[in-house]
Short mmCIF file of all heavy atoms in Angstrom, two decimals:
data_model
loop_
_atom_site.label_atom_id
_atom_site.label_comp_id
_atom_site.label_asym_id
_atom_site.label_seq_id
_atom_site.Cartn_x
_atom_site.Cartn_y
_atom_site.Cartn_z
N SER A 282 -25.42 15.57 -2.30
CA SER A 282 -25.97 14.68 -3.25
C SER A 282 -25.43 13.26 -3.10
O SER A 282 -26.15 12.26 -3.33
CB SER A 282 -25.75 15.15 -4.72
OG SER A 282 -26.44 16.33 -4.90
N LEU A 287 -27.92 10.71 -5.17
CA LEU A 287 -28.75 11.35 -6.22
C LEU A 287 -27.80 11.66 -7.38
O LEU A 287 -27.05 12.61 -7.41
CB LEU A 287 -29.32 12.67 -5.67
CG LEU A 287 -30.26 13.39 -6.61
CD1 LEU A 287 -31.64 12.64 -6.74
CD2 LEU A 287 -30.54 14.86 -6.16
N GLU A 289 -28.75 12.13 -10.81
CA GLU A 289 -29.24 13.08 -11.78
C GLU A 289 -29.97 14.23 -11.12
O GLU A 289 -30.58 14.04 -10.03
CB GLU A 289 -30.20 12.38 -12.78
CG GLU A 289 -29.57 11.20 -13.48
CD GLU A 289 -28.38 11.55 -14.33
OE1 GLU A 289 -28.25 12.71 -14.75
OE2 GLU A 289 -27.51 10.66 -14.60
N THR A 290 -29.90 15.39 -11.70
CA THR A 290 -30.54 16.58 -11.15
C THR A 290 -32.04 16.37 -11.27
O THR A 290 -32.59 15.96 -12.31
CB THR A 290 -30.16 17.82 -11.94
OG1 THR A 290 -28.74 18.00 -11.85
CG2 THR A 290 -30.91 19.08 -11.39
N GLU A 291 -32.74 16.60 -10.16
CA GLU A 291 -34.19 16.34 -10.12
C GLU A 291 -34.96 17.46 -9.42
O GLU A 291 -34.40 18.13 -8.49
CB GLU A 291 -34.53 15.01 -9.42
CG GLU A 291 -33.95 13.80 -10.20
CD GLU A 291 -34.56 12.48 -9.71
OE1 GLU A 291 -35.77 12.46 -9.43
OE2 GLU A 291 -33.81 11.49 -9.60
N ALA A 294 -36.76 16.33 -5.80
CA ALA A 294 -35.83 15.22 -5.60
C ALA A 294 -36.35 14.27 -4.59
O ALA A 294 -36.81 14.69 -3.54
CB ALA A 294 -34.49 15.80 -5.18
N PHE A 319 -36.51 14.65 -0.34
CA PHE A 319 -35.22 15.29 -0.33
C PHE A 319 -35.36 16.79 -0.61
O PHE A 319 -34.75 17.68 0.10
CB PHE A 319 -34.32 14.63 -1.36
CG PHE A 319 -32.86 15.04 -1.30
CD1 PHE A 319 -32.33 15.60 -0.16
CD2 PHE A 319 -32.01 14.84 -2.37
CE1 PHE A 319 -30.98 15.98 -0.09
CE2 PHE A 319 -30.64 15.16 -2.31
CZ PHE A 319 -30.16 15.78 -1.15
N SER A 320 -36.19 17.16 -1.53
CA SER A 320 -36.44 18.61 -1.83
C SER A 320 -37.08 19.29 -0.57
O SER A 320 -36.73 20.40 -0.21
CB SER A 320 -37.35 18.74 -3.05
OG SER A 320 -36.69 18.40 -4.20
N LEU A 323 -34.59 20.16 2.04
CA LEU A 323 -33.72 21.33 1.73
C LEU A 323 -34.48 22.63 1.63
O LEU A 323 -33.91 23.69 2.00
CB LEU A 323 -33.01 21.09 0.42
CG LEU A 323 -32.10 19.86 0.34
CD1 LEU A 323 -31.43 19.81 -1.03
CD2 LEU A 323 -31.01 19.93 1.40
N TYR A 324 -35.74 22.62 1.20
CA TYR A 324 -36.42 23.88 0.91
C TYR A 324 -37.70 24.06 1.73
O TYR A 324 -38.41 25.03 1.57
CB TYR A 324 -36.81 23.94 -0.61
CG TYR A 324 -35.61 23.85 -1.48
CD1 TYR A 324 -35.32 22.63 -2.24
CD2 TYR A 324 -34.66 24.87 -1.62
CE1 TYR A 324 -34.26 22.55 -3.08
CE2 TYR A 324 -33.58 24.74 -2.43
CZ TYR A 324 -33.36 23.57 -3.16
OH TYR A 324 -32.25 23.49 -3.98
N GLY A 329 -38.34 21.76 -5.58
CA GLY A 329 -37.07 22.49 -5.53
C GLY A 329 -35.96 21.63 -6.15
O GLY A 329 -35.84 20.45 -5.86
N GLU A 330 -35.23 22.24 -7.00
CA GLU A 330 -34.16 21.48 -7.77
C GLU A 330 -32.94 21.17 -6.90
O GLU A 330 -32.51 21.96 -6.16
CB GLU A 330 -33.72 22.32 -8.97
CG GLU A 330 -32.69 21.56 -9.85
CD GLU A 330 -32.24 22.37 -11.04
OE1 GLU A 330 -32.94 22.32 -12.11
OE2 GLU A 330 -31.27 23.16 -10.87
N VAL A 331 -32.47 19.91 -7.04
CA VAL A 331 -31.28 19.46 -6.39
C VAL A 331 -30.34 18.93 -7.44
O VAL A 331 -30.71 18.04 -8.19
CB VAL A 331 -31.58 18.39 -5.32
CG1 VAL A 331 -30.25 18.02 -4.62
CG2 VAL A 331 -32.60 18.86 -4.33
N LYS A 332 -29.13 19.47 -7.48
CA LYS A 332 -28.20 19.03 -8.51
C LYS A 332 -27.71 17.62 -8.22
O LYS A 332 -27.39 17.28 -7.08
CB LYS A 332 -26.97 20.00 -8.58
CG LYS A 332 -27.29 21.32 -9.23
CD LYS A 332 -26.01 22.13 -9.36
CE LYS A 332 -26.28 23.45 -10.07
NZ LYS A 332 -25.05 24.25 -10.23
N GLY A 333 -27.64 16.81 -9.27
CA GLY A 333 -27.16 15.46 -9.15
C GLY A 333 -25.65 15.35 -9.24
O GLY A 333 -24.96 16.29 -9.63
#
Side-chain angles (χ1 to χ4, degrees):
S282 294
L287 184 73
E289 303 299 336
T290 302
E291 296 195 40
F319 191 16
S320 290
L323 298 181
Y324 303 107
E330 183 179 271
V331 182
K332 286 187 178 181

